Amino acid sequence: MAATDIAEEAFHLRLGYLKPETVEIARVELRETEEVKAEAILKLRELLKATPELNYKDDDAFLTVFLRACHFYPEGALEKMKTTASFRKEYASLVRGLLVEQVKEKFVKGSVINVLKNCDQKGRRVLIVNCGKLWDPSDITSDEMFRMLYMVHLAAQLEEETQVRGVVCIMDFEGLSMKQVKALSPSFSKRLLTFIQEAMPLRMKEVHFVKQPFIFNMVWSLFKPFVKQKLNSRMHFHGSDMKSLQKFLDPSVLPANYKGTLPAIDYGGVEWFPALEQQAQYVAEWSQLGPAQW
């Protein structure tokens, strides 16, 4: 990976462009051409106007976020807007009015939610959720963890590269103990998986579970009932076998934490927060979107 790529990806959002090869991925995987895109935006705008129970922005860039997540089928994008609005209404206490400043203290304090400073070999952002010993639920509640995750997904939407290429998630359970298991309650599990599957206009390409001890079986028994077939096919369980993880994520893009060739992770929320803060206005706009009536 070129040093310029890492410099561009580390602690910055890649805004306002698609690389030529990404344009080709969009054409092949998402049916995206200028004509299809223009037509789909017009159609989705019409559909949105005819759906008074929804309240969303209707500029081209905003509609494109949902269209790319749904392969440029306007009806599918509208359905995703509806399920997103339903989710936001059900969990209004967590996401309505959510502002960047509200998560700052917890975000910069720990590394529960982190993002690799480099993309993977397919140009995808890699989110790391530390659910084991790095997470103290008495300091950062599961609700606060969720709000941070939600914030990161809003920022990720702004990267057109991410809209097209999708995201990868590493769930790291190293040092998992009963205090974390208790915090990963059935209600949290349901909310997290409903969000990922129904209310997140991003392409979740892979979810990797790593370093999970035996006690993880208790967590998985809570998650499993809410996992639909599509997501299930994208979930991979590696335990401590990093060679297994490296079948999906090349060693050249992984830090030493996962037996990769890059230095061990020595960064986290402190380094990433300024990139979030720069998008405070977008997050503030989103904070009231979704259902027309809460």
Side-chain angles (χ1 to χ4, degrees):
M1 184 182 296
T4 51
D5 282 352
I6 290 198
E8 174 192 307
E9 293 161 6
F11 317 128
H12 296 106
L13 291 179
R14 301 164 294 167
L15 301 176
Y17 67 86
L18 281 179
K19 295 176 181 175
E21 58 269 32
T22 312
V23 172
E24 181 60 12
I25 291 169
R27 187 186 69 77
V28 173
E29 293 186 13
L30 306 180
R31 312 186 312 122
E32 181 173 347
T33 64
E34 286 302 320
E35 299 77 27
V36 167
K37 183 179 178 181
E39 196 177 314
I41 286 172
L42 283 175
K43 179 66 175 166
L44 181 55
R45 189 173 286 129
E46 277 175 26
L47 290 169
L48 192 55
K49 206 169 275 182
T51 315
E53 67 268 26
L54 295 180
N55 169 41
Y56 286 108
K57 300 199 300 177
D58 72 348
D59 57 275
D60 288 9
F62 190 87
L63 296 181
T64 299
V65 171
F66 281 88
L67 285 165
R68 283 193 173 125
C70 299
H71 296 249
F72 282 91
Y73 292 108
E75 293 79 6
L78 183 73
E79 191 54 39
K80 177 70 80 176
M81 288 178 135
K82 286 179 180 176
T83 53
T84 299
S86 296
F87 178 87
R88 288 179 58 77
K89 189 167 185 173
E90 184 172 353
Y91 298 106
S93 62
L94 292 173
V95 299
R96 188 185 185 193
L98 178 60
L99 302 174
V100 169
E101 283 306 308
Q102 294 168 357
V103 303
K104 180 174 184 176
E105 184 195 344
K106 305 288 175 152
F107 197 89
V108 302
K109 192 175 185 180
S111 300
V112 177
I113 307 295
N114 205 348
V115 179
L116 287 188
K117 65 181 182 181
N118 56 282
C119 292
D120 75 357
Q121 74 278 7
K122 295 183 179 178
R124 304 173 300 189
R125 285 288 187 192
V126 181
L127 171 72
I128 298 178
V129 184
N130 288 300
C131 300
K133 65 185 179 189
L134 288 180
W135 175 34
D136 180 357
S138 64
D139 186 33
I140 295 175
T141 66
S142 54
D143 282 355
E144 287 170 325
M145 183 207 266
F146 180 79
R147 280 158 67 92
M148 288 190 274
L149 261 178
Y150 202 86
M151 188 74 71
V152 168
H153 114 277
L154 291 178
Q157 285 175 22
L158 288 163
E159 288 196 332
E160 290 197 66
E161 288 283 321
T162 293
Q163 291 172 21
V164 172
R165 293 175 184 256
V167 293
V168 174
C169 180
I170 294 177
M171 304 281 290
D172 189 330
F173 286 91
E174 184 175 17
L176 180 74
S177 67
M178 277 310 293
K179 71 177 177 182
Q180 288 95 11
V181 172
K182 283 179 185 163
L184 297 168
S185 63
S187 59
F188 174 82
S189 307
K190 178 174 187 268
R191 184 200 316 147
L192 178 66
L193 287 156
T194 304
F195 165 56
I196 290 170
Q197 294 173 111
E198 297 176 17
M200 186 174 84
L202 285 173
R203 308 176 72 204
M204 180 63 81
K205 303 298 287 182
E206 297 166 12
V207 182
H208 298 286
F209 295 84
V210 301
K211 305 184 183 181
Q212 66 273 29
F214 184 73
I215 198 175
F216 171 77
N217 292 339
M218 295 171 73
V219 176
W220 181 241
S221 68
L222 297 176
F223 276 40
K224 195 174 181 181
F226 307 113
V227 178
K228 295 176 183 175
Q229 178 52 40
K230 184 178 178 183
L231 182 61
N232 194 47
S233 68
R234 297 179 178 190
M235 288 180 154
H236 309 281
F237 300 85
H238 306 290
S240 57
D241 182 0
M242 295 302 116
K243 284 235 174 344
S244 173
L245 175 65
Q246 289 170 8
K247 288 174 186 168
F248 299 89
L249 298 172
D250 197 85
S252 66
V253 302
L254 286 172
N257 312 60
Y258 305 112
K259 300 275 173 46
T261 58
L262 295 177
I265 294 170
D266 61 355
Y267 54 87
V270 172
E271 287 79 9
W272 274 110
F273 194 76
L276 268 184
E277 216 159 20
Q278 285 169 8
Q279 306 310 325
Q281 182 58 39
Y282 182 75
V283 173
E285 287 171 1
W286 244 112
S287 75
Q288 299 299 335
L289 298 180
Q293 289 197 308
W294 292 82

